Amino acid sequence: MNYELIGISVLWLFLYGYIIIASIDFGAGFFAFYARLTKQDHVINKLISRYLSPVWEITNVFFVFFYIGIIGFFPETSYYYGSAMLVPGSLAVILLAIRGSFYAFENYGSKNNMVYLFLYGATGVLIPASLSVALTLSEGGFILKQGETASLDYWALLSSPLSWSIVGLAIVSVLFISAAFLAFYASRAEDHAALKLMRTYALFWSTPTIVIALTAFIFLGQHNERHFQNMMDLWWLLALSVAFFMIAMWLLYRGGRYGMAFICIMLQFFSAFFAYGIGQYPYILDPYITIQSSVTSSSMGFALVVAFIGGMCLLVPSLILVFRLFLFDADYVKGNK
Amino acid sequence: MGIDTVLWSKLVTGMTLGFHAIFATLGVGIPLMISLAEFIGIRKKDLHYILMAKRWSRGFVISVAVGVVTGTAISLQLSLVWPNFMKLAGNVIALPLFMEVFAFFFEAIFLGIYLYTWERFKNPMMHWLLTIPVVIGAGMSAVFITTVNGFMNQPGGFTFEGGQFTAVDPVQAMLSTATFSKVFHVLSSAYLTGAALLAGVAAFAILRKGVSAYHKKALKLMMAVVLLFSLVNTLAGDVSAKFLAEHQPEKLAAAEWHFETEGGADLIFLGWLNAEHEIIGALHLPKFLSFLAFGDFNAEVTGLNEFPIDEQPSLVVHYFFDLMATIGFLFLGISFLYFLFVFWKKRNELNKWILRMIALGAPLAFLGVELGWFYAELGRQPWIIRGYMRVEEAATTSPSVRILFFFFLLLYIVLGTVSVLVLRRIFNNNPAEVEMETWTQRASDKSTLKGEHT
């Protein structure tokens, strides 16, 4: 196996991981704000802050890890995406900065501050929206190249139905994933009021998720025929995704096995996300960058893989420790510790 | 493309780095102090030290948060603002960047556990053990990132072919000739700054509210660390100067306004330049530059005129260098004086003037770090990768960078203000003495409660 394949597989896996845990986090922000607006904050906000306080930094590191990994394995990406993403990327950075720092501030500040909750909710929706632009760009047709300079064609981006449907999909999936996870977390904490509310939210956001996913898929077909066809060839992965969605819906609707429901949702996104990624192969940025054309030297590839394995040997045990202490320690979850 | 875009790119990056440096330095320095305090507290069974570790870690969280988000900003800005730099150098510097993320991840995980498990272990040493990965992770982050800076100053570990770096050896690139002295100086100054800040806070509290056992102990512990690390840091500064003299003479020459190559060169302190580039009003220390550069009063030091005009760094770095070095020596002096008073005349170490100097030392330490970084960065220019790529070749061509400068400026103003407000709220509304009292009160309530049960 070549370094470009190892690299892109690991990175795609990490991006998937980021999407799941960041969605939980971003969506929680929105729900905390929304619950406040509808005067239901007393039901869920304690649960949300109990889960999020220990893990927000880890979420952020996942993102940086993906970013450093992709410019490490495929340095050319930083030139094209860097030039084109200057504005949306910087906005995402500013929003991430506001959100990240306010987590820590909130721990010691007033928890019910409306401005804080608003920022928390708004960034939760706007960050995925601005980051999803990178996925749109990868489909090609949005980056202008004149001589040595690459720049973003804002008009093409803003007038494209594809880009808006991807933004929509990003937001809706965030809310769906997050609601499903928080329902599971509430069920573990045996917090029935919160569970009831989160289950309703999860059911509410499920249909829009599948509808917008389908819409985005159709617009993708109009925009990038090659990618669309490749994904159609992977029909079984897409079918698997829909099947997992159905199972998750049934479990959520019936109630009870919320952990299993959340795992099904993770698998639903896993299969769809990999169908999307494999369909895009070999391009990272259509038509400028393929993974073969942009891969780093083999010595760097080797060094990165070694560093990655070494790093994982350190991190996996530490993460297990975190999960045992906070996520799966029933006493902690229930708030007894 | 225009000069304008390059200038704004420099400004936005300089601003982000300048802001990040404060929190990055704290991020490296403070964990060691927390670890020390908790260790001493457990060994001496002295709750004051445990309380120190608790309170410092509470404040530390705020600085970590701002450090994380500004660190994320600077890492993304590398690509967003300097796409050509990353295109060229990404091949070589990806490894340390990658490892830095791991080191930080490691630190973040254990910091998270540390903060939320104060009461969860039966053996308090278990909780103290959690500080070790935090200290190591923070230190290693600094090491890895500094190797990237070392590479920009002393690029190596590749061959340059057709405008690209090929035959890359990433490990050799990390271990450039600049790496050792830089890493040494960055770490020693971070520990010095962390201790200086906490000593300054303790001194300030004593000045405002009178002597208390808690602040007195904190002051003494931190001043010991300041003394130790100002010694180490002076050594690190010396190693750095000797490295520059040998490998990057234009940077040292610019800092010293040393124009002609000569033996027995004078060290020039402050002063200014007239239109003919003559130095006026400076303090000359005869032959000291030669000594600083090579440890020999008669050694020959390369002058700036040996380099083409368009490859010379800005001469303003002279002031940065002089002020940075002065601040370094001030710490040596203050901490020395403090312990002189501790050992010679009991109690007089809490002399008002000494306390004032120590309190003033806290902002000065940060100023020193900033000046050092600005010297390091401006002293390398016009190069972004010395000898291979100039700053103006590396910058983005998008004019949007100008407006983004103001967005980021606003962000840093907000973050800076809010973190100050939050820190004040944490500490002012909850003085150490009060917290100590409620804490011991609660502890004794608990033990009496237990006593009733058995």
Side-chain angles (χ1 to χ4, degrees):
Chain A
M1 204 153 152
N2 312 316
Y3 290 117
E4 66 260 27
L5 267 181
I6 299 177
I8 200 71
S9 313
V10 169
L11 288 171
W12 200 242
L13 209 59
F14 255 76
L15 188 59
Y16 166 75
Y18 175 69
I19 286 178
I20 296 294
I21 60 172
S23 291
I24 296 173
D25 174 15
F26 293 145
F30 177 82
F31 292 129
F33 178 64
Y34 180 76
R36 173 65 185 265
L37 282 186
T38 52
K39 308 240 181 306
Q40 287 175 308
D41 43 336
H42 57 283
V43 182
I44 54 168
N45 283 11
K46 204 175 151 216
L47 183 84
I48 288 177
S49 83
R50 197 145 186 89
Y51 162 71
L52 288 175
S53 301
V55 297
W56 71 268
E57 265 177 38
I58 297 175
T59 317
N60 191 59
V61 179
F62 257 83
F63 173 65
V64 179
F65 182 89
F66 172 77
Y67 156 75
I68 297 287
I70 197 147
I71 61 172
F73 276 100
F74 309 101
E76 225 175 312
T77 52
S78 88
Y79 170 68
Y80 282 100
Y81 282 106
S83 303
M85 288 287 287
L86 179 65
V87 173
S90 296
L91 287 180
V93 169
I94 290 173
L95 294 169
L96 277 170
I98 293 174
R99 187 181 181 83
S101 49
F102 275 75
Y103 267 127
F105 296 158
E106 182 258 8
N107 265 322
Y108 302 107
S110 58
K111 289 192 196 267
N112 296 315
N113 186 316
M114 198 61 196
V115 178
Y116 163 72
L117 270 178
F118 171 75
L119 284 174
Y120 187 43
T123 53
V125 176
L126 292 174
I127 294 169
S130 57
L131 287 179
S132 71
V133 171
L135 278 185
T136 313
L137 294 187
S138 76
E139 297 301 332
F142 301 106
I143 293 180
L144 299 173
K145 205 179 172 204
Q146 293 160 321
E148 276 300 292
T149 45
S151 59
L152 180 59
D153 184 345
Y154 287 98
W155 175 245
L157 183 71
L158 294 177
S159 62
S160 153
L162 175 67
S163 92
W164 289 109
S165 60
I166 289 182
V167 166
L169 179 60
I171 294 174
V172 175
S173 344
V174 158
L175 297 176
F176 178 49
I177 295 172
S178 181
F181 177 82
L182 290 171
F184 157 66
Y185 200 68
S187 79
R188 272 202 71 100
E190 291 169 23
D191 182 340
H192 299 290
L195 171 62
K196 197 169 155 240
L197 191 64
M198 291 323 299
R199 177 175 163 271
T200 322
Y201 287 162
L203 287 170
F204 178 84
W205 288 107
S206 61
T207 325
T209 306
I210 215 78
V211 170
I212 296 183
L214 207 64
T215 319
F217 191 53
I218 292 165
F219 284 129
L220 178 69
Q222 293 170 3
H223 188 88
N224 188 334
E225 177 67 25
R226 179 195 57 81
H227 193 180
F228 181 76
Q229 273 310 325
N230 285 346
M231 280 178 79
M232 286 306 270
D233 293 342
L234 293 164
W235 61 270
W236 55 275
L237 265 178
L238 298 174
L240 216 56
S241 174
V242 174
F244 281 123
F245 172 75
M246 297 300 211
I247 300 174
M249 284 300 42
W250 183 67
L251 287 171
L252 275 177
Y253 184 76
R254 218 191 44 148
R257 307 193 62 186
Y258 293 99
M260 191 47 97
F262 183 68
I263 288 173
C264 284
I265 289 169
M266 280 175 71
L267 290 171
Q268 172 208 337
F269 277 88
F270 185 86
S271 16
F273 193 67
F274 272 79
Y276 176 88
I278 299 168
Q280 180 71 314
Y281 178 89
Y283 289 99
I284 295 179
L285 174 60
D286 201 347
Y288 300 115
I289 315 176
T290 65
I291 60 170
Q292 286 85 1
S293 73
S294 64
V295 70
T296 186
S297 61
S298 60
S299 56
M300 178 56 92
F302 178 72
L304 289 177
V305 170
V306 170
F308 180 78
I309 294 171
M312 280 298 138
C313 293
L314 270 181
L315 290 186
V316 171
S318 345
L319 277 175
I320 290 175
L321 188 62
V322 172
F323 285 139
R324 287 189 46 165
L325 283 173
F326 299 117
L327 213 47
F328 298 117
D329 183 322
D331 277 346
Y332 178 80
V333 174
K334 284 176 200 162
N336 296 340
K337 266 187 190 167
Chain B
M1 194 192 312
I3 283 302
D4 218 30
T5 313
V6 176
L7 179 67
W8 287 108
S9 302
K10 280 186 182 181
L11 287 174
V12 79
T13 309
M15 177 176 67
T16 303
L17 279 174
F19 191 67
H20 178 63
I22 299 171
F23 300 95
T25 305
L26 287 174
V28 175
I30 302 290
L32 183 67
M33 312 308 144
I34 295 174
S35 181
L36 266 177
E38 192 179 4
F39 184 74
I40 293 177
I42 295 171
R43 288 306 295 267
K44 284 190 173 176
K45 295 205 167 47
D46 185 335
L47 284 180
H48 278 130
Y49 290 99
I50 306 274
L51 186 64
M52 265 173 230
K54 266 195 176 174
R55 287 173 68 90
W56 292 346
S57 61
R58 238 178 270 157
F60 180 60
V61 176
I62 302 299
S63 97
V64 167
V66 182
V68 170
V69 296
T70 53
T72 311
I74 189 66
S75 75
L76 273 114
Q77 280 180 3
L78 280 181
S79 289
L80 297 173
V81 183
W82 307 98
N84 299 306
F85 166 71
M86 283 311 283
K87 189 184 176 186
L88 179 65
N91 252 330
V92 190
I93 59 172
L95 181 65
L97 290 177
F98 199 62
M99 295 204 285
E100 196 272 344
V101 182
F102 274 118
F104 176 73
F105 207 160
F106 190 60
E107 179 200 346
I109 289 173
F110 281 93
L111 180 66
I113 301 178
Y114 181 78
L115 292 172
Y116 290 90
T117 53
W118 274 100
E119 319 286 338
R120 276 177 82 170
F121 296 104
K122 285 212 176 72
N123 180 354
M125 270 298 172
M126 289 295 288
H127 187 251
W128 173 77
L129 280 178
L130 291 169
T131 62
I132 291 176
V134 178
V135 173
I136 292 176
M140 289 314 283
S141 303
V143 171
F144 291 136
I145 278 307
T146 309
T147 67
V148 176
N149 192 267
F151 170 82
M152 290 161 75
N153 282 280
Q154 295 287 310
F158 57 83
T159 41
F160 193 61
E161 268 180 317
Q164 283 190 323
F165 294 147
T166 54
V168 172
D169 179 347
V171 177
Q172 201 192 326
M174 281 175 69
L175 303 174
S176 69
T177 45
T179 297
F180 173 72
S181 59
K182 270 187 181 290
V183 165
F184 188 23
H185 205 14
V186 165
L187 286 179
S188 63
S189 61
Y191 295 133
L192 172 59
T193 307
L197 172 72
L198 296 171
V201 169
F204 189 70
I206 296 175
L207 280 171
R208 289 234 344 227
K209 293 181 292 190
V211 183
S212 75
Y214 172 85
H215 289 300
K216 204 175 150 187
K217 284 175 188 169
L219 181 67
K220 195 164 178 185
L221 175 62
M222 285 301 104
M223 285 313 283
V225 180
V226 167
L227 178 64
L228 173 67
F229 279 102
S230 44
L231 282 167
V232 175
N233 195 39
T234 309
L235 179 67
D238 186 61
V239 171
S240 303
K242 290 187 169 47
F243 151 76
L244 284 180
E246 197 181 336
H247 295 281
Q248 219 170 335
E250 77 279 11
K251 200 169 179 176
L252 185 67
E256 289 297 340
W257 286 353
H258 180 64
F259 299 110
E260 299 299 332
T261 303
E262 58 178 3
D266 293 356
L267 187 98
I268 293 159
F269 187 70
L270 297 177
W272 62 91
L273 289 173
N274 68 8
E276 284 83 42
H277 260 211
E278 285 158 355
I279 299 158
I280 303 172
L283 185 67
H284 289 254
L285 298 174
K287 298 195 177 186
F288 261 81
L289 179 56
S290 289
F291 181 70
L292 176 70
F294 297 102
D296 168 3
F297 284 103
N298 293 312
E300 190 176 86
V301 182
T302 314
L304 199 55
N305 291 347
E306 305 287 322
F307 297 88
I309 294 272
D310 73 335
E311 290 181 13
Q312 292 180 1
S314 154
L315 290 175
V316 72
V317 295
H318 175 62
Y319 296 111
F320 296 173
F321 180 86
D322 281 359
L323 287 175
M324 169 190 77
T326 309
I327 291 171
F329 281 110
L330 268 179
F331 274 109
L332 207 53
I334 298 174
S335 51
F336 203 68
L337 205 65
Y338 171 86
F339 280 103
L340 214 64
F341 274 58
V342 170
F343 290 117
W344 277 8
K345 290 186 182 177
K346 279 220 152 181
R347 290 180 185 281
N348 264 19
E349 82 269 14
L350 300 178
N351 170 307
K352 255 197 183 141
W353 283 102
I354 290 194
L355 289 177
R356 277 179 195 157
M357 276 195 288
I358 294 172
L360 191 68
L364 275 183
F366 286 97
L367 183 65
V369 169
E370 292 286 344
L371 289 167
W373 274 114
F374 273 95
Y375 167 48
E377 294 301 291
L378 290 179
R380 187 192 61 244
Q381 294 183 21
W383 301 109
I384 191 163
I385 306 172
R386 182 174 178 262
Y388 293 95
M389 184 181 240
R390 298 172 68 95
V391 169
E392 62 267 22
E393 297 168 312
T396 182
T397 50
S398 166
S400 319
V401 70
R402 186 165 72 179
I403 186 85
L404 287 173
F405 172 84
F406 293 99
F407 273 113
F408 277 105
L409 178 65
L410 191 69
L411 173 71
Y412 301 143
I413 291 174
V414 171
L415 286 184
T417 320
V418 177
S419 35
V420 170
L421 290 177
V422 173
L423 285 172
R424 285 180 56 133
R425 187 182 213 144
I426 296 175
F427 293 114
N428 279 9
N429 298 347
N430 185 17
E433 297 76 22
V434 177
E435 189 176 352
M436 192 76 219
E437 221 162 84
T438 48
W439 196 26
T440 41
Q441 187 68 40
R442 229 184 31 217
S444 66
D445 284 355
K446 239 186 206 168
S447 58
T448 44
L449 218 72
K450 265 185 199 154
E452 279 164 14
H453 277 294
T454 46

